[in-house]
Amino acid sequence: MKKLLVIVATLALGWAMAETTSYEDAVADRLKPAGNVCVQGEPCETAATVAAAVSSGPKSGDEVYSTACAACHASGALNAPIFGDAAAWEPRVAKGVDTLYDHAINGFNTMPAKGGNASLSDEEVQAAVDHMVAAVQ
Ligand code: HEC
């Protein structure tokens, strides 16, 4: 019985300490500056907003391809021409790159407009087309 009490007491103490630590962590989190860069008279920039500004530029063709196009074009889902498959791409490239841009941006048969990712800019989709065409040339 004594043993049990000791175990219970130890558990309770452990719990109380864990509580204290997480509370302290929470306060420390709220207090820490998180890499703030503040210049008087200008809006305060945190490391997070700086990082967001850097990564909000246009995505590269490679990036767009991996996130928005590879789902079909890596596997050939819905009979999509597979990335790097020269025979599948040859007749498409023959249509001219402007037609491919148009079809990638606006959709073509079962190819959804912008790969179904409407938040991509036309330029980003074109970069992804360039990336796919470059892989077979
Ligand atoms: C949901 C699946 C799917 C996604 C996602 C997808 N595609 Fe496609 N894509 C297809 C299919 C299927 C075709 C073949 C359509 C056909 O020829 O009828 C195709 C064809 C194409 C073609 C050739 C068009 C032509 O005129 O022959 C291009 C270029 C293309 N896709 C670019 C892209 C780009 C760029 C992305 C990403 C932004 C993308 N696709 C995402 C399914 C997809």
Side-chain angles (χ1 to χ4, degrees), residues 3-48:
K3 232 181 197 171
L4 187 64
L5 271 180
V6 170
I7 292 172
V8 171
T10 314
L11 285 178
L13 190 64
W15 177 78
M17 281 170 68
E19 277 293 289
T20 322
T21 327
S22 63
Y23 174 72
E24 279 168 2
D25 283 352
V27 171
D29 263 356
R30 266 181 263 142
L31 293 179
K32 76 177 173 204
N36 284 1
V37 182
C38 300
V39 178
Q40 201 169 12
E42 279 177 29
C44 202
E45 291 196 333
T46 62

Side-chain angles (χ1 to χ4, degrees), residues 61 64-73 75-81 88-89 91-93 95-97 99-105 107-117 120-121 124-133:
V64 175
Y65 169 76
S66 321
T67 53
C69 320
C72 297
H73 286 278
S75 61
L78 305 174
N79 288 327
W89 278 97
R92 300 179 188 272
V93 172
K95 298 181 201 178
V97 78
T99 303
L100 298 184
Y101 286 160
D102 176 49
H103 288 170
I105 292 167
F108 176 62
N109 299 326
T110 45
M111 159 72 206
K114 295 186 173 177
N117 193 336
L120 292 173
S121 68
E124 286 170 327
V125 175
Q126 290 177 357
V129 172
D130 290 343
H131 178 67
M132 290 160 93
V133 168

